[in-house]
Amino acid sequence: KAIHLVRDPFDNIVSRFHLKRKTMMHKGNETWLEAYPDTRDGFRDFCNYVDTKNVLKEEQYPVNSTVGNVFLKYGSTIPCYSDFIRYMLWHNNAMRTIQNLQLQYMVLHYESYAISHNKTANRLLHFLGLNLTHKLEEFRSGDGYRYYFQSKEVEAVKHLVEEISDDATWEVLERYFS
């Protein structure tokens, strides 16, 4: 059996930025933390840095390759575009693995825990053939971060996702773009 946990791609990408900030806090890297504060602008500055750094690596792909075309097409329109591409490739690979191994699977959306924690937990336990053995801990949902992105960027991410996702992956992610 497999459980495919999915989080809104925008929330996922910003959460990766927060994780990077936590790592830099633990390392005591004040210079980095000051350069990329825990704000929308700090996130966007971080994306600009990452996107600029990645261009050097991406220039190795021939223009006629699928990967190269995606980099060229979205690199200047989506902040942290390489993270979105990585997110898509991960979910494509997860769905392909499930299909190739012919696994019984359940798609679980992260926000389902916030909307209906007990129902979602019970659904998961039922799928796994398990019983609840203790009281459920309270679920503390992360914030939504779509507001970190402009509407034209959200639209560009939608087109990116449509372009590189497999049909099964799009079916799982489409809800974030309707």
Side-chain angles (χ1 to χ4, degrees):
K1 289 184 176 184
I3 299 163
H4 186 168
L5 182 61
V6 182
R7 188 171 187 188
D8 181 306
F10 299 96
D11 296 347
N12 186 277
I13 301 309
V14 176
S15 291
R16 287 174 50 86
F17 166 65
H18 290 150
L19 180 60
K20 179 72 171 180
R21 281 190 50 78
K22 283 183 183 179
T23 300
M24 292 304 188
M25 273 188 243
H26 285 58
K27 289 182 176 182
N29 191 334
E30 293 299 323
T31 305
W32 192 97
L33 293 167
E34 288 173 18
Y36 307 110
D38 193 8
T39 63
R40 181 181 185 267
D41 289 339
F43 167 75
R44 294 179 74 82
D45 289 343
F46 171 74
C47 287
N48 186 46
Y49 164 75
V50 170
D51 293 346
T52 301
K53 189 173 127 184
N54 286 338
V55 165
L56 299 173
K57 294 177 190 173
E58 291 149 8
E59 286 176 346
Q60 71 183 335
Y61 293 102
V63 175
N64 63 350
S65 78
T66 303
V67 174
N69 287 339
V70 171
F71 290 144
L72 290 173
K73 189 172 183 178
Y74 298 104
S76 63
T77 58
I78 300 172
C80 284
Y81 68 93
S82 60
D83 281 342
F84 282 102
I85 292 170
R86 188 173 19 262
Y87 173 93
M88 286 308 311
L89 294 175
W90 191 95
H91 285 288
N92 278 345
N93 287 333
M95 292 306 293
R96 286 178 191 154
T97 300
I98 288 167
Q99 291 168 346
N100 289 343
L101 296 176
Q102 299 177 344
L103 298 174
Q104 181 184 4
Y105 73 98
M106 173 182 175
V107 173
L108 203 64
H109 292 273
Y110 176 85
E111 61 276 5
S112 297
Y113 282 107
I115 295 167
S116 182
H117 184 230
N118 288 341
K119 182 179 176 182
T120 302
N122 286 329
R123 189 173 148 244
L124 175 60
L125 289 169
H126 177 62
F127 173 75
L128 294 172
L130 300 171
N131 295 314
L132 185 63
T133 59
H134 60 279
K135 183 178 182 256
L136 293 174
E137 295 290 325
E138 180 183 340
F139 179 74
R140 285 180 253 148
S141 175
D143 294 329
Y145 296 104
R146 190 163 296 229
Y147 70 95
Y148 275 40
F149 298 86
Q150 298 171 5
S151 59
K152 67 181 179 180
E153 294 164 345
V154 172
E155 192 63 26
V157 171
K158 177 183 179 182
H159 293 301
L160 168 67
V161 171
E162 287 175 321
E163 186 172 328
I164 66 174
S165 67
D166 295 339
D167 290 343
T169 304
W170 174 247
E171 190 176 314
V172 169
L173 298 175
E174 183 178 16
R175 71 188 324 192
Y176 299 111
F177 301 100
S178 21

